[in-house]
Amino acid sequence: MSTEIPVEKKFRVLCEINRAAHFQWLRTVVGMFPEVDKLELVKRYWREVGVETGKAYLKHIDPNRPLPAQFARSFAFSSRCMGEDCVVVPGESEKECYARHDACPWFEWHRREGVEELDLPGCEEWLAAAVEEVNDALGTRLRVETLKSIPAGDGVCLRRFRVD
């Protein structure tokens, strides 16, 4: 007897499989190379992911429109696609925009795995690489700043995207 699994359930399970695979990868590399600097390994991994993320975001950016809001919307969209919550909060002008996560399953996984110290640096490296990729392609000066973070105990992650 076969029953169809609802797509929403498949999606949630797939997101968890993706996160589980990340930590299995990390345990495998550290097990094979115990002398590896875990922080540098994680930062290098997320930098690679960030470069590809920036390339993906570029497909949805109109260089004739304000960049901070476009980047923040892409960031929120990709976060929600990974089962995270994320909302875009407009800035005081079109030169800035914010993105806020009220919860993050990646942090919960880091805590469960006992590697909370790797969460924020990995996320920061990923975002920095994505921003650099966009800036390099467009000749822009988009900046990202983390104002609050769940790993720091702030209860939310709040990032400001701005152009100089």
Side-chain angles (χ1 to χ4, degrees), residues 42 45 47 49 60 68-69 73 79 86 115 132 136 140 154-155:
V42 165
Y45 169 85
R47 175 154 285 281
V49 174
H60 305 282
R73 281 193 300 271
S79 292
C86 189
V115 290
E132 288 169 21
D136 288 349
T140 52
D154 295 322

Side-chain angles (χ1 to χ4, degrees), residues 5-128:
I5 301 169
V7 70
E8 294 82 11
K9 183 173 185 172
K10 288 179 186 177
F11 171 73
R12 284 190 307 274
V13 169
L14 184 57
C15 286
E16 288 301 294
I17 289 169
N18 180 55
R19 284 185 273 276
H22 170 76
F23 289 97
Q24 290 164 345
W25 161 83
L26 181 60
R27 282 192 303 274
T28 299
V29 173
V30 171
M32 290 177 69
F33 307 100
E35 70 286 352
V36 72
D37 182 328
K38 281 195 285 190
L39 179 58
E40 288 306 311
L41 174 65
V42 165
K43 286 170 68 174
R44 184 168 179 178
Y45 169 85
W46 284 112
R47 175 154 285 281
E48 294 288 329
V49 174
V51 167
E52 296 306 314
T53 299
K55 290 176 183 175
Y57 287 6
L58 279 165
K59 296 175 185 174
H60 305 282
I61 290 175
D62 177 350
N64 298 311
R65 294 181 41 225
L67 183 56
Q70 292 184 84
F71 193 96
R73 281 193 300 271
S74 287
F75 175 62
F77 175 81
S78 63
S79 292
R80 289 190 305 268
C81 284
M82 291 184 288
E84 303 166 17
D85 74 336
C86 189
V87 295
V88 173
V89 181
E92 291 183 16
S93 78
E94 62 184 28
K95 290 187 173 194
E96 70 176 2
C97 196
Y98 299 83
R100 187 187 76 233
H101 287 84
D102 292 321
C104 180
W106 283 101
F107 179 68
E108 295 307 318
W109 270 88
H110 279 87
R111 184 184 338 197
R112 183 174 27 193
E113 294 289 320
V115 290
E116 299 96 326
E117 72 281 1
L118 301 178
D119 182 63
L120 185 58
C123 198
E124 296 286 292
E125 196 70 25
W126 170 67
L127 263 174

Side-chain angles (χ1 to χ4, degrees), residues 96-99 124 127 131 143-148 158-162:
E96 70 176 2
C97 196
Y98 299 83
E124 296 286 292
L127 263 174
V131 166
R143 303 287 180 253
V144 59
E145 176 184 10
T146 299
L147 304 173
K148 295 181 180 185
L158 181 64
R159 291 192 168 83
R160 177 182 179 211
F161 301 96
R162 65 178 172 82

